[in-house]
Amino acid sequence: MTSLSHVRLGTYFVVHMPRSDDFAFWRDRARQLVQCDVPPDRVAWVEPGGNASLFSHGDRRAPIPDDPDRPVRASRRFVALAKNAALHSDPERFALLYSLLWRLQSQPRLLEDKADSEVRRLEELDKAVRRDSHKMHAFVRFRMVEDESGGSEHYVAWFEPDHHIVRANAGFFVRRFANMNWSILTPRGTLHWDGEIVREGPPAQKSDAPQGDPAEDLWRKYYASIFNPARLKIGAMLKEMPRKYWKNMPETSLIPELVAGAQNREAQMVEAGTLEFEERPETLQAIDKAIHACRKCPIGELDNQAVMGEGPNDAALMIVGEQPGDQEDQAGRPFVGPAGQVLDAHMERAGIDRRNTYVTNAVKHFKYVQRGKRRLHQSPTAKEIDVCRWWQEAERAIVKPKVILALGASAARGMLGKTVSISKVRGEPIALDDGSELWVTAHPSYLLRLDGAAKEEQERLFAADLAAVKERVEELTA
Amino acid sequence: MGQPGIMEKLEILADAAKYDASCASSGTAKRNSSGGKGIGSTEGMGICHAYAPDGRCISLLKVLLTNHCIFDCHYCINRKSSNVRRARFTPQEVADLTLTFYRRNYIEGLFLSSGIIKSSNHTMEQMVETARILREDHDFRGYIHLKTIPEADPDLVHQAGLYADRVSINVELPTDAGLTRLAPDKNARQIEGAMGGMKMAIRQARDEKKRFKHAPRFAPAGQSTQMIVGADAATDADIVGRASRLYDGFRLRRVYYSAFSPIPDASAVLPLKRPPLVREHRLYQSDWLMRFYGFEAQEVMQATEADGNLPLDIDPKLAWALKFRERFPVDVNRSSREMLLRVPGLGVKAVNQIIAARRHRTLRLEDVAKLTVSVAKVRAFIVTADWRPTLLTDRADLRTLLAPKSEQLELFAA
Ligand code: SF4
């Protein structure tokens, strides 16, 4: 069947590619060569600027097939892969494509053999080109320049692709930025879009592109802020954004600084973390000792002493107040001041024995402001209560009360982690995670501030709450 | 104190958004700006425009509208009782920033979330307004992801779906008990209710689109959610179970996992060091097993250890294979696709290639080596024309042999 007299023995056909990315030209020539039965080892493919003198004895004319309609087989899949792989900068690519096309004539299902080395090479080229295109979509960074009249904005980017992908990717940018004037400058050629057509230009240099854009400061600020220093993963970053792209991306100049800073911040967090998250003490004595040294919140820094809860370490009832007051701070014991006396009186009336009850506070130190000689009580903030909850939970874990009575909103927050309204929750138990139940009532110091009918009403409610709690404790311990 | 400028607001409100794990901008309807007045396109695959040193992809401008919040969730740096600097963008400011960045090809679009200000409805209105400005005033055709506020009026949440490509409703914590404890103002039923409503709306819009070409698009990229890992005692088995129920129940596109990060000003209810980042990675791997490898949630749970957590030193697929050694070795020249997908070290692509190649030749070990990253890992589990792992799968020390030598993932390897 080889009937072509012009395929002389020992000579090459040399095909000069007019452009490095001209797949259509390759396709026409390759088809003719196959139709003329020219085997792959008899064809040399030369790119623009490539060294053709090596093939000085080759035939530069295209071979003329006897039958130009003779079918050449190539699957759609091959054409798609070849079209993309042809954009690769490997000087051997056209030869590889031709070799595959040649083999496809006798092995139509060749591409399915993924273990074939030429098939694998084709897929590698395709993959490299797809990756380069993808990086172009991702890492092109436009800078805005206003034209002389100040009228229209022009967006200009400098990009350095590895392969001959610029022309093939024009469509992506046209579709995305259809209503913007833009130019993409690369060492392999340039693209210019004016809203209507794409013009192509000769290769450019980096100095042709504008130097900066005020938006880059904002972008860098964003880049630095969205990064989480607690999770440095430099390898993962480098894998997707290799260093070779960095020089043309405004944000990457920050990376060394961010990495160095993160290591410091992480070290600080770990240090702070070990301070804050030490093991929970397992005895009441240990808690007592630890709270005296506690400076987790600013209250601990004041001139005061920590006040530990008191009572049996297996009490069925735990009563929790807000925080020690002036007198408690001086005595080092909870509920010894005026509010404590109100509480004692009510407990006695309700028949609750304080000696069988564990009495403590949501916050362990006295918070105050100094006014002359007097120390004025100040309520703890939600944040301070949440911080001190660490200790109160440790006490609960040891005493394991069946019922907890919280006096006032701060104490309730210490148990629940959220602020509740006393009038809404009083009189009904709230189940806690550890299986105990929480009752909430007013703080006795509130009773001290009232008088007249309001006082009577509140005293009555308070007494009712204590009575309900007593009943519940008895039920649960019976 | 004066109003912070845009630069400072961006710093505060991007910083506050960095604990959110989702970044994807893919899977939405194809669009471009040809024939329109504005800019933007989506071509199916989202693009990562940069990577941060934490290894995460940056594809969207991810910010909060504000970090003021009336809620008090303990794991959250923006909670009411936290001492952070606060700032607040107007919807117009966020829209302008998005366009400024988009025009320079820094991003694929916007991912907007917010602390809750004044009320859930007020907040949701502001978020919807931001998306409206972008879509209607600027004909923006890029990607928009809105994090919706489950407590907001369903009508507002619905409007969000009309502007956004994707909506997310975070379940926050894997168990209801964890949610009650750490997010006292939130309510699991409300969150799931909002997800259910979103699922219905998405399905309905899809049906309408089939019948009427001009039916409005509604969250074409579907809905996703996020769970915080390691802030409470939930095990990997709990988490995987919850994730699979969410996938099934609400047709979620993705469940994201965010390893609880030590946050400055942490609440004392979180007496925890941060979980190892590898744990988050193992959960994502298990997610892949379910989405692409045909594993049932139940099977992933079988791969966990006695404490209910996935092993950290090996990936979940290998962990499963080591527990079910009797299912191996698998003959690469004969076995079903399903079984090949179970072989540790064989990805979906390698399996496809093996199946295609074996029509042409009987595969030998060296052929398999060309198709996989590490044949050393694979060969203990396969049979080829010239290879059979004699008793290798019975060796007690197989795990040690196959576990990656412990260079940590978190090492500074730059
Ligand atoms: S009030 Fe509580 S948290 Fe604050 S320093 Fe005292 S013991 Fe520590």
Short mmCIF file of all heavy atoms in Angstrom, two decimals, chain A residues 291 294-301 306 362-366 384 387-389 391, ligand 1:
data_model
loop_
_atom_site.label_atom_id
_atom_site.label_comp_id
_atom_site.label_asym_id
_atom_site.label_seq_id
_atom_site.Cartn_x
_atom_site.Cartn_y
_atom_site.Cartn_z
N ILE A 291 -7.24 29.16 93.53
CA ILE A 291 -7.93 30.45 93.29
C ILE A 291 -7.19 31.60 93.97
O ILE A 291 -7.25 32.73 93.50
CB ILE A 291 -9.42 30.43 93.73
CG1 ILE A 291 -9.59 30.07 95.19
CG2 ILE A 291 -10.24 29.51 92.84
CD1 ILE A 291 -11.03 30.18 95.67
N CYS A 294 -5.04 32.73 91.35
CA CYS A 294 -5.65 32.90 90.03
C CYS A 294 -5.63 34.36 89.60
O CYS A 294 -6.02 35.25 90.35
CB CYS A 294 -7.09 32.38 90.04
SG CYS A 294 -7.93 32.62 88.46
N ARG A 295 -5.19 34.57 88.37
CA ARG A 295 -5.24 35.91 87.77
C ARG A 295 -5.85 35.81 86.38
O ARG A 295 -5.47 36.52 85.47
CB ARG A 295 -3.82 36.49 87.66
CG ARG A 295 -3.09 36.67 88.98
CD ARG A 295 -3.68 37.81 89.82
NE ARG A 295 -3.00 37.97 91.09
CZ ARG A 295 -3.35 37.36 92.22
NH1 ARG A 295 -4.38 36.52 92.23
NH2 ARG A 295 -2.69 37.56 93.33
N LYS A 296 -6.78 34.89 86.22
CA LYS A 296 -7.37 34.68 84.90
C LYS A 296 -8.15 35.90 84.44
O LYS A 296 -8.38 36.09 83.26
CB LYS A 296 -8.33 33.49 84.91
CG LYS A 296 -7.67 32.12 84.92
CD LYS A 296 -8.77 31.08 84.74
CE LYS A 296 -8.44 29.75 85.40
NZ LYS A 296 -7.44 29.00 84.67
N CYS A 297 -8.68 36.63 85.40
CA CYS A 297 -9.41 37.82 85.01
C CYS A 297 -8.92 38.99 85.86
O CYS A 297 -8.25 38.79 86.87
CB CYS A 297 -10.92 37.60 85.17
SG CYS A 297 -11.53 37.95 86.83
N PRO A 298 -9.26 40.20 85.45
CA PRO A 298 -8.68 41.38 86.14
C PRO A 298 -9.08 41.50 87.62
O PRO A 298 -8.38 42.17 88.38
CB PRO A 298 -9.19 42.57 85.33
CG PRO A 298 -10.04 42.04 84.24
CD PRO A 298 -10.06 40.56 84.29
N ILE A 299 -10.16 40.83 88.02
CA ILE A 299 -10.57 40.98 89.42
C ILE A 299 -9.49 40.41 90.35
O ILE A 299 -9.25 40.93 91.44
CB ILE A 299 -11.92 40.26 89.70
CG1 ILE A 299 -12.95 40.65 88.64
CG2 ILE A 299 -12.44 40.61 91.08
CD1 ILE A 299 -14.31 40.00 88.84
N GLY A 300 -8.85 39.38 89.88
CA GLY A 300 -7.79 38.76 90.67
C GLY A 300 -6.61 39.68 90.91
O GLY A 300 -5.81 39.45 91.83
N GLU A 301 -6.50 40.72 90.09
CA GLU A 301 -5.37 41.63 90.24
C GLU A 301 -5.63 42.69 91.32
O GLU A 301 -4.73 43.40 91.74
CB GLU A 301 -5.12 42.38 88.91
CG GLU A 301 -4.94 41.50 87.70
CD GLU A 301 -3.55 40.87 87.62
OE1 GLU A 301 -2.71 41.18 88.48
OE2 GLU A 301 -3.35 40.06 86.70
N ALA A 306 -8.99 35.57 97.51
CA ALA A 306 -10.03 34.69 96.98
C ALA A 306 -10.84 34.13 98.14
O ALA A 306 -10.32 33.90 99.23
CB ALA A 306 -9.39 33.55 96.20
N ALA A 362 -20.25 32.52 92.35
CA ALA A 362 -19.94 32.33 90.92
C ALA A 362 -18.57 32.90 90.61
O ALA A 362 -17.84 32.39 89.77
CB ALA A 362 -21.00 33.00 90.05
N VAL A 363 -18.21 33.99 91.27
CA VAL A 363 -16.92 34.65 91.06
C VAL A 363 -16.19 34.64 92.39
O VAL A 363 -16.79 34.92 93.43
CB VAL A 363 -17.14 36.09 90.54
CG1 VAL A 363 -15.86 36.89 90.56
CG2 VAL A 363 -17.72 36.04 89.13
N LYS A 364 -14.92 34.30 92.35
CA LYS A 364 -14.24 34.01 93.62
C LYS A 364 -13.56 35.19 94.29
O LYS A 364 -13.15 35.10 95.43
CB LYS A 364 -13.18 32.91 93.39
CG LYS A 364 -13.75 31.63 92.77
CD LYS A 364 -14.85 31.03 93.63
CE LYS A 364 -15.41 29.76 92.99
NZ LYS A 364 -16.76 29.48 93.50
N HIS A 365 -13.38 36.25 93.55
CA HIS A 365 -12.75 37.44 94.14
C HIS A 365 -13.74 38.60 94.22
O HIS A 365 -14.68 38.68 93.44
CB HIS A 365 -11.56 37.88 93.29
CG HIS A 365 -10.30 37.09 93.50
ND1 HIS A 365 -9.94 36.01 92.70
CD2 HIS A 365 -9.30 37.22 94.41
CE1 HIS A 365 -8.77 35.53 93.12
NE2 HIS A 365 -8.36 36.24 94.15
N PHE A 366 -13.49 39.52 95.14
CA PHE A 366 -14.33 40.70 95.34
C PHE A 366 -13.97 41.77 94.31
O PHE A 366 -12.82 42.21 94.23
CB PHE A 366 -14.09 41.22 96.77
CG PHE A 366 -14.78 42.53 97.10
CD1 PHE A 366 -16.08 42.80 96.65
CD2 PHE A 366 -14.13 43.48 97.89
CE1 PHE A 366 -16.70 44.00 96.97
CE2 PHE A 366 -14.76 44.69 98.22
CZ PHE A 366 -16.04 44.94 97.75
N GLU A 384 -16.17 38.02 82.87
CA GLU A 384 -15.49 37.60 84.10
C GLU A 384 -16.19 36.39 84.73
O GLU A 384 -15.54 35.47 85.23
CB GLU A 384 -15.42 38.78 85.08
CG GLU A 384 -14.40 39.82 84.64
CD GLU A 384 -14.67 41.23 85.17
OE1 GLU A 384 -15.75 41.47 85.77
OE2 GLU A 384 -13.81 42.10 84.97
N VAL A 387 -15.19 33.36 82.80
CA VAL A 387 -13.83 32.91 83.08
C VAL A 387 -13.78 32.18 84.41
O VAL A 387 -13.21 31.10 84.54
CB VAL A 387 -12.87 34.12 83.09
CG1 VAL A 387 -11.50 33.71 83.60
CG2 VAL A 387 -12.75 34.70 81.69
N CYS A 388 -14.44 32.72 85.40
CA CYS A 388 -14.38 32.13 86.74
C CYS A 388 -15.19 30.83 86.83
O CYS A 388 -15.03 30.06 87.77
CB CYS A 388 -14.87 33.14 87.77
SG CYS A 388 -14.13 32.90 89.40
N ARG A 389 -16.01 30.61 85.83
CA ARG A 389 -16.80 29.39 85.80
C ARG A 389 -15.93 28.14 85.93
O ARG A 389 -16.35 27.11 86.44
CB ARG A 389 -17.56 29.36 84.46
CG ARG A 389 -18.41 28.15 84.27
CD ARG A 389 -19.19 28.28 82.99
NE ARG A 389 -20.03 27.11 82.81
CZ ARG A 389 -20.97 26.99 81.89
NH1 ARG A 389 -21.20 28.00 81.09
NH2 ARG A 389 -21.67 25.89 81.78
N TRP A 391 -13.66 27.50 87.98
CA TRP A 391 -13.51 27.08 89.37
C TRP A 391 -14.81 26.52 89.92
O TRP A 391 -14.84 25.51 90.62
CB TRP A 391 -13.05 28.26 90.24
CG TRP A 391 -11.73 28.80 89.78
CD1 TRP A 391 -11.49 30.06 89.32
CD2 TRP A 391 -10.50 28.09 89.70
NE1 TRP A 391 -10.17 30.19 88.96
CE2 TRP A 391 -9.54 28.99 89.19
CE3 TRP A 391 -10.10 26.78 89.99
CZ2 TRP A 391 -8.22 28.63 88.98
CZ3 TRP A 391 -8.79 26.43 89.78
CH2 TRP A 391 -7.85 27.34 89.29
S1 SF4 C 1 -12.56 36.27 89.96
FE1 SF4 C 1 -12.32 34.15 89.37
S2 SF4 C 1 -11.34 34.19 87.40
FE2 SF4 C 1 -11.11 36.21 88.25
S3 SF4 C 1 -9.12 36.09 89.21
FE3 SF4 C 1 -10.63 35.56 90.76
S4 SF4 C 1 -10.76 33.37 90.72
FE4 SF4 C 1 -9.72 34.00 88.85
#
